[in-house]
Amino acid sequence: PFREQFFERVDFRTFNFRHTFMPKNQGEVDNVKNIIDLFKFHMHPELVGEKNLMFLYPSEFDIKYMFEDKENDYFNKISTCVLEDMNVEYGGDIFATFETGEPVEINMTLRFKEIELLTKENIQSRGL
């Protein structure tokens, strides 16, 4: 009796994705570097204006779980997100490189945050 709870706020959901790359040749090494550079570029804002005093928002991402060329309805839906954090580890547990210096293993962790609050209406209408 006489217990109370205060509802303070609804938090934006975050989603973490970890990818391990193990390129086998120079073409795959180049592709992995391009993937990392692309995420790094799109997670940051852009300076605009005459004196670069304002920021444009970073890129937004629409993430979907796919299976055989269609969205997999088994997994939860994710609303539009921004890439909040990115961590890249070069070399794996035992650091090793190709003869040309590129690492043989690269681990990339991405943390996305939704930009839309989750509500009962969102869940019911869009399956978030």
Side-chain angles (χ1 to χ4, degrees):
F2 305 110
R3 287 191 210 170
E4 293 183 9
Q5 285 286 345
F6 291 102
F7 181 78
E8 292 182 26
R9 69 177 182 268
V10 176
D11 288 330
F12 294 96
R13 296 188 302 173
T14 60
F15 300 91
N16 296 311
F17 296 95
R18 181 174 171 82
H19 303 278
T20 299
F21 300 103
M22 300 180 90
K24 297 181 183 84
N25 55 49
Q26 187 62 48
E28 290 183 3
V29 167
D30 294 341
N31 287 339
V32 170
K33 182 170 182 348
N34 290 338
I35 291 168
I36 292 168
D37 291 345
L38 194 64
F39 276 115
K40 191 184 304 182
F41 175 81
H42 283 286
M43 76 178 284
H44 291 92
E46 180 181 347
L47 283 170
V48 294
E50 196 172 298
K51 296 184 181 182
N52 289 333
L53 297 176
M54 295 189 330
F55 286 114
L56 281 182
Y57 292 111
S59 299
E60 296 177 357
F61 295 83
D62 290 318
I63 301 168
K64 298 183 185 326
Y65 296 100
M66 303 298 289
F67 180 74
E68 294 183 352
D69 297 331
K70 63 180 180 175
E71 189 170 357
N72 190 336
D73 291 329
Y74 181 80
F75 296 103
N76 60 299
K77 304 270 192 274
I78 301 173
S79 184
T80 301
C81 296
V82 293
L83 180 54
E84 185 177 48
D85 189 40
M86 175 179 166
N87 184 39
V88 180
E89 299 171 11
Y90 297 98
D93 291 334
I94 300 173
F95 186 80
T97 65
F98 291 106
E99 293 174 0
T100 53
E102 294 94 347
V104 298
E105 182 178 336
I106 300 166
N107 295 298
M108 178 177 70
T109 305
L110 305 171
R111 185 175 68 226
F112 292 92
K113 182 177 268 190
E114 285 182 321
I115 59 173
E116 178 180 8
L117 288 174
L118 190 63
T119 63
K120 289 179 180 179
E121 291 78 16
N122 298 37
I123 292 169
Q124 191 171 36
S125 66
R126 299 194 339 244
L128 294 176

